[in-house]
Amino acid sequence: MDNDQHPLLTTNPHHLVSSLEHNIYAHHKPYDLATMSSPRLISTHIPYASLNNTIKHDSKSRIVYITRNPLDAIVSTWHFSTNGHPGGHSQHEWGMEECVDMFCRGEACFGPFWDHALGYWKVSLETPEKVLFLKYEDLIEDSVGQAKSVANFIGVPFSQEEEANGVVEKILELCSFDKLKNLDVNKHGQLWPKCDNKSFFRKGQVGDWANHLSPSMVERVNKIMKEKFNGSGLSFRMS
C-alpha cells in the first residue's frame, strides 16, 4: 500500500489494532478470534502470566513486548492519568509524589512494573522465537535496526531490494511519533468517552523524567529497580 493512502493517516492507531482488554473482551461476551482476518494483530497490557495458555503454548502467535525506562514510565502514567484517562485524577488532587509512591508499592492497573517486565523478559530468554523484548530507548536510538529485528521476528524480513529502496526508512517516517502526533485524526476525536486521541501523544522523549522527578524520587525508584532486577540480566538506563 502506498504510504499516502495508509490507514494510519486517517485513523487513530488504537482503532486499527484491537486490544484484548479494551475491545475484544471488554464486555465479557464470547468472542471468536477466528472472525478476524489473518494475520491478526492484537495489542494488550496483560502480564505474560495472565495470558491464555493458547497464546502462550498452543499457538504460533508471536509477542513483541515493548517497555521503557521506569522513570519515564512514571511521568507518562502521571500525565495520562491526570489529563487523558476517563475518570482520571486532576493534577491538583494527584501529585507526582503520590504517583511515585504508587509505583514503588507496585500499585498499577496491570501489576507492578518489575513483575510485568520480568515476566516477558524471562520468556524472551527461554523462548526467543516466542517473545521479542524491546525497549523504547533502543527503538529511538536505532530505529532502523529495531525495525529489521521486528520484521525478522514476525517472519517477514526486508529484502535487499526493499532496504536499498529505502522501504525501512519510509515505514519509520510513517510511524514516527512526530508524524502521528501532527495528524488531524490524532489531534481531535476520542478513543473512548472522555479519552481524547491526543492524550496518547505527548512528547515521546527519552529522559523527560528529569524535568519532573526530584533527586529523592529518582533515588528511590533506582533502589527498587536494582533490587527487583538483581540477577535477571534486565537493566534500564536510569540516568
Side-chain angles (χ1 to χ4, degrees):
M1 178 179 292
D2 198 319
N3 275 0
D4 61 7
Q5 298 178 350
H6 199 282
L8 269 178
L9 299 176
T10 56
T11 310
N12 182 274
H14 291 83
H15 285 296
L16 293 176
V17 181
S18 294
S19 164
L20 278 179
E21 60 270 23
H22 295 305
N23 304 119
I24 297 176
Y25 297 117
H27 305 294
H28 308 290
K29 296 179 180 180
Y31 190 97
D32 185 5
L33 291 178
T35 61
M36 297 177 66
S37 59
S38 182
R40 293 181 287 271
L41 181 61
I42 300 170
S43 69
T44 186
H45 293 83
I46 297 175
Y48 185 80
S50 299
L51 291 176
N52 188 284
N53 283 333
T54 300
I55 297 176
K56 292 190 289 187
H57 307 300
D58 303 329
S59 73
K60 295 181 180 179
S61 61
R62 294 167 181 165
I63 301 171
V64 178
Y65 181 79
I66 303 177
T67 186
R68 70 187 304 187
N69 182 309
L71 297 173
D72 279 330
I74 290 172
V75 173
S76 179
T77 297
W78 182 78
H79 275 285
F80 186 70
S81 296
T82 55
N83 296 313
H85 195 275
H89 308 269
S90 73
Q91 293 186 7
H92 298 293
E93 66 183 26
W94 197 53
M96 187 65 74
E97 186 75 45
E98 183 177 353
C99 187
V100 172
D101 286 343
M102 291 180 67
F103 178 91
C104 292
R105 292 195 300 267
E107 298 175 5
C109 291
F110 297 92
F113 177 94
W114 46 88
D115 286 347
H116 204 290
L118 284 173
Y120 285 93
W121 171 252
K122 291 177 180 177
V123 178
S124 74
L125 297 179
E126 297 167 356
T127 54
E129 71 281 0
K130 186 68 177 181
V131 175
L132 177 64
F133 192 99
L134 303 177
K135 299 176 186 176
Y136 182 75
E137 296 76 24
D138 295 333
L139 292 172
I140 297 298
E141 186 176 282
D142 180 23
S143 300
V144 171
Q146 296 293 302
K148 291 181 181 179
S149 294
V150 172
N152 291 333
F153 177 72
I154 62 176
V156 287
F158 294 104
S159 66
Q160 291 184 346
E161 181 180 2
E162 287 175 326
E163 291 190 31
N165 291 332
V167 171
V168 182
E169 288 77 10
K170 290 178 182 178
I171 292 174
L172 292 173
E173 195 281 328
L174 172 68
C175 300
S176 70
F177 181 88
D178 289 339
K179 176 76 172 183
L180 295 178
K181 180 178 182 178
N182 289 304
L183 292 175
D184 186 70
V185 68
N186 295 324
K187 288 182 177 180
H188 307 96
Q190 294 185 326
L191 179 63
W192 310 300
K194 299 181 181 180
C195 184
D196 297 334
N197 287 341
K198 65 182 180 181
S199 65
F200 293 93
F201 300 90
R202 192 176 68 86
K203 286 187 176 181
Q205 295 179 350
V206 174
D208 186 49
W209 58 264
N211 298 315
H212 298 82
L213 303 179
S214 68
S216 62
M217 293 178 186
V218 173
E219 181 180 3
R220 184 180 177 191
V221 174
N222 282 345
K223 181 179 179 180
I224 290 179
M225 292 301 99
K226 183 177 181 180
E227 173 189 331
K228 298 297 183 179
F229 292 145
N230 182 44
S232 69
L234 176 60
S235 64
F236 292 88
R237 284 172 278 177
M238 302 290 285
S239 60

